[in-house]
Amino acid sequence: MDRWRNMLIGIVTGVIIVAALSYATGVTKLIRNSFGSSTEYKSSGSAAAPDLANGDWINSAPLKLQDLRGRVVLIEFWTFGCINCRNTLPFVKSWHDRYQAKGLTVIGVHSPEFDEERNVESLRREVTSLDLRYAVVTDNDYETWNAYHVEAWPTAFLLDKKGRIRWMHVGEGGYDEADLLIQKLLAENDHAGK
């Protein structure tokens, strides 16, 4: 009986130690993020979005967030070699198609994972092949990635008409939540936001 009790105590202790180490090293955050996680911010507590770093623009002249005040902005960090990113593209393309005329601007920030994804001509071919019609900017030096504290592909941010971050989602999923929030942000009064 004592042998079984000691073994049970050892197992429980081991589980507690592994859980504590996983939490302390951030492994649980990485595991949770791989399944997708969202954060919505209240307007009064949301931070102003950092500017976009310089890069090569595809499908658009260079955009500045300051010039987009009065519009809702969806920024998605992605890379063309990432299967999870490719899985989100139909939704991002749909939002662009449905809401662009109503005040949504979509910007794809292409932050490469692999060296071959740094080539701008390869990115142009992929954008054409994937039929992306919204603005895409290269982020080969990860300046925008770092400014937004991104940790994984894909990561999306929704900015309100005043340029404040109102929602962030890491990973796939959250599509219904994003669609509803886009509609909500488009309906917000923006007369004081310009």
Side-chain angles (χ1 to χ4, degrees):
M1 187 69 158
D2 285 336
R3 181 175 159 215
W4 287 108
R5 186 179 65 127
N6 289 340
M7 190 163 65
L8 182 60
I9 290 171
I11 290 171
V12 170
T13 303
V15 168
I16 290 171
I17 290 171
V18 168
L21 287 174
S22 295
Y23 179 78
T25 60
V27 171
T28 54
K29 182 178 180 183
L30 290 173
I31 292 169
R32 190 177 69 246
N33 285 349
S34 68
F35 293 105
S37 64
S38 298
T39 304
E40 184 176 349
Y41 304 92
K42 301 298 179 201
S43 61
S44 60
S46 42
D51 288 328
L52 302 170
N54 292 327
D56 292 307
W57 286 85
I58 300 170
N59 294 341
S60 171
L63 299 175
K64 300 283 185 201
L65 294 181
Q66 181 67 35
D67 298 336
L68 296 173
R69 295 292 195 268
R71 294 185 64 82
V72 174
V73 178
L74 171 69
I75 299 174
E76 183 183 40
F77 289 85
W78 71 292
T79 187
F80 67 74
C82 166
I83 190 65
N84 302 95
C85 298
R86 287 180 176 260
N87 290 342
T88 65
L89 291 178
F91 299 94
V92 177
K93 288 165 52 173
S94 172
W95 297 324
H96 169 75
D97 293 344
R98 287 186 322 193
Y99 299 120
Q100 178 186 20
K102 296 176 181 176
L104 176 70
T105 297
V106 175
I107 300 172
V109 177
H110 188 267
S111 304
E113 183 174 10
F114 302 109
D115 285 339
E116 61 269 14
E117 295 169 327
R118 294 176 180 279
N119 182 290
V120 177
E121 290 312 311
S122 296
L123 175 59
R124 287 184 197 284
R125 280 192 299 278
E126 289 293 328
V127 166
T128 299
S129 172
L130 295 166
D131 193 31
L132 304 182
R133 291 177 297 237
Y134 52 83
V136 174
V137 62
T138 60
D139 187 34
N140 286 350
D141 295 326
Y142 305 96
E143 289 180 47
T144 305
W145 172 281
N146 290 329
Y148 280 79
H149 306 289
V150 176
E151 296 179 355
W153 295 271
T155 296
F157 292 87
L158 269 171
L159 314 183
D160 65 17
K161 295 176 183 178
K162 295 180 182 181
R164 298 175 301 195
I165 297 172
R166 295 286 294 277
W167 181 81
M168 179 189 83
H169 183 83
V170 179
E172 294 183 51
Y175 306 121
D176 291 337
E177 178 183 5
D179 195 274
L180 289 172
L181 190 55
I182 289 169
Q183 293 176 46
K184 175 183 170 184
L185 294 176
L186 288 170
E188 284 183 353
N189 186 347
D190 69 334
H191 71 275
K194 292 190 178 184

